Amino acid sequence: MLIAKNRTFDIINYSLLALCVIICIYPFYYVLIYSISDPAKVAQGIFLKPAGLDFTTYQSILKLPYMTNSFLVSVARTVIGTALTVICCSFFSYLLSKREMMLRKVVYRLLVVTLYINAGLIPWYITMKMLSLNNNFLLYVLPTAISGYFVILIKTYIEQLPAALEESAMMDGAGFLRLFWSIIFPLCKPIVATVAIFAAVNQWNTWMDNYFLVQNQSLKTLQLILYEYLNSANALATMDASSITKNAQNIVLTPESIKMSTTMLVALPILLVYPFMQRYFVKGIMLGAIKG
C-alpha cells in the first residue's frame, strides 16, 4: 500500500515538474521556430514546428549597417565589464572582511544603503557627463565595477572560509595582496562564478546608458542597434519586402518576424554560456547568502 502511494506521488510530482519545464521552455522554443519560419506562412499559426524553414529574416538583420561592429562592442563590454566587476567586487569584499580596515563598519553600511536608495536618472546622467563618460567606452565598464549586492555575497562567502588558511600564510610572510590572489580568490570560485553570471547577463542586456550617453555610432551596442531597428520594424519590413520582390522571391518580411529574430540574436549568447556556469550557480548562491 505504501509503495503504491509513493509511486502515485512520484508520478504526480514528475508530471508537475515536467509541466513546469515545458511552461518555462516553450516561450523560447516558440520564438525560435517563429524566427525561422516563412513570414508569409506563419500567419496561419505555428505550434510545434516551423511553418516553412526560412532564414531570410536573419540574413536581412545581419546585413544591417554597424551590426558586426555593435556585436563586437557588446562582446567587449560583456567580457571586460564582467572581469572588472568580479575583480573589484572580490577585492573590496576581502577588504571589508578584515577587521584591520579603518571605518569598515561605516563603509559597509554605506554600501548597504546603495541597495535601497537610488538618486535617479537625472543625477546619474549629470554625473556621467561630468566624468566625461559620454561617447566613451569606459561608460560601459567603470560604473558597474562595484555592486553592493555582489560585494555582500562575496564578503559573506569569504567570512565562512577557515581563518587558519590565512594565519598559516601570514606566518610564512604573505601580505594581504598575496593572501587574496593566492589563497582567498581561488577558494571563492563558486561565488565568483555566480557573480560572473549575474554581471555578464547585466552587461549583455543593458542598453539604457548607451541610449542616453552615446551618440557615436561605432560605440553603440548590439542591444541598442536592435532596439532602434525594432522601433522601425514596419519601415524595415517594407524596405526588405520591396528588395526581395525585386529579386523575384516569394517571401515578405513582417515586423513580428523581425522582432522574433532580434530577440533570438540577443538571447542566444547568454543561453549558450549559462549552462556551462550553472553548476556553480546554486552552490555559490547558497554559500554566499547564508552565514555559517
Side-chain angles (χ1 to χ4, degrees):
M1 186 67 180
L2 182 59
I3 296 177
K5 288 183 179 180
N6 290 337
R7 184 173 300 174
T8 303
F9 173 78
D10 290 339
I11 293 174
I12 296 175
N13 191 32
Y14 289 141
S15 299
L16 290 175
L17 290 175
L19 180 61
C20 291
V21 170
I22 293 173
I23 292 174
C24 293
I25 293 178
Y26 183 74
F28 293 100
Y29 178 72
Y30 179 81
V31 172
L32 174 61
I33 62 176
Y34 196 113
S35 66
I36 61 177
S37 296
D38 186 342
K41 297 179 180 179
V42 76
Q44 302 173 3
I46 56 174
F47 182 61
L48 292 178
K49 62 179 182 179
L53 196 62
D54 179 74
F55 295 96
T56 304
T57 307
Y58 284 103
Q59 294 173 359
S60 174
I61 293 174
L62 293 175
K63 289 179 182 178
L64 291 172
Y66 296 100
M67 182 60 65
T68 302
N69 181 76
S70 63
F71 177 78
L72 295 177
V73 171
S74 289
V75 171
R77 170 182 185 161
T78 302
V79 173
I80 298 174
T82 300
L84 188 64
T85 298
V86 167
I87 293 173
C88 292
C89 288
S90 298
F91 189 65
F92 189 43
S93 301
Y94 177 65
L95 293 178
L96 288 177
S97 69
K98 300 290 101 183
R99 298 184 181 275
E100 295 86 349
M101 178 181 175
M102 295 181 60
L103 302 176
R104 181 174 68 99
K105 292 184 178 180
V106 175
V107 173
Y108 184 69
R109 287 169 182 168
L110 291 175
L111 180 75
V112 173
V113 168
T114 64
L115 300 178
Y116 300 96
I117 299 178
N118 191 326
L121 180 61
I122 294 177
W124 169 83
Y125 179 83
I126 294 174
T127 301
M128 295 299 107
K129 292 277 286 186
M130 290 179 62
L131 294 175
S132 300
L133 291 179
N134 55 307
N135 289 315
N136 192 330
F137 181 82
L138 294 178
L139 169 69
Y140 300 145
V141 296
L142 285 185
T144 57
I146 295 292
S147 168
Y149 177 63
F150 296 158
V151 169
I152 292 173
L153 284 179
I154 301 174
K155 174 180 175 293
T156 308
Y157 186 95
I158 291 175
E159 289 175 343
Q160 297 175 18
L161 298 176
L165 292 173
E166 294 187 65
E167 293 173 357
S168 60
M170 293 180 68
M171 291 178 64
D172 293 333
F176 285 113
L177 285 176
R178 183 70 174 177
L179 283 171
F180 175 73
W181 288 112
S182 300
I183 297 177
I184 302 300
F185 191 73
L187 292 175
C188 292
K189 183 186 292 185
I191 192 64
V192 165
T194 302
V195 168
I197 293 173
F198 284 139
V201 171
N202 180 64
Q203 289 285 3
W204 181 259
N205 290 331
T206 299
W207 60 273
M208 289 294 291
D209 50 1
N210 195 180
Y211 180 76
F212 286 111
L213 289 167
V214 175
Q215 290 77 42
N216 188 343
Q217 195 73 20
S218 62
L219 284 177
K220 289 186 177 181
T221 61
L222 177 65
Q223 287 67 28
L224 182 60
I225 291 292
L226 293 179
Y227 172 77
E228 292 175 348
Y229 289 142
L230 284 176
N231 284 342
S232 58
N234 288 314
L236 182 62
T238 303
M239 177 186 68
D240 285 338
S242 61
S243 64
I244 289 171
T245 303
K246 292 179 181 179
N247 292 330
Q249 297 182 17
N250 297 321
I251 300 174
V252 179
L253 298 184
T254 63
E256 288 75 18
S257 64
I258 294 175
K259 292 176 182 178
M260 296 297 181
S261 299
T262 53
T263 300
M264 285 305 304
L265 286 174
V266 171
L268 188 60
I270 295 299
L271 292 176
L272 292 177
V273 172
Y274 187 82
F276 297 99
M277 306 292 288
Q278 188 177 7
R279 62 194 182 105
Y280 299 107
F281 187 79
V282 176
K283 182 179 179 182
I285 282 292
M286 294 301 295
L287 292 178
I290 301 175
K291 184 173 181 180

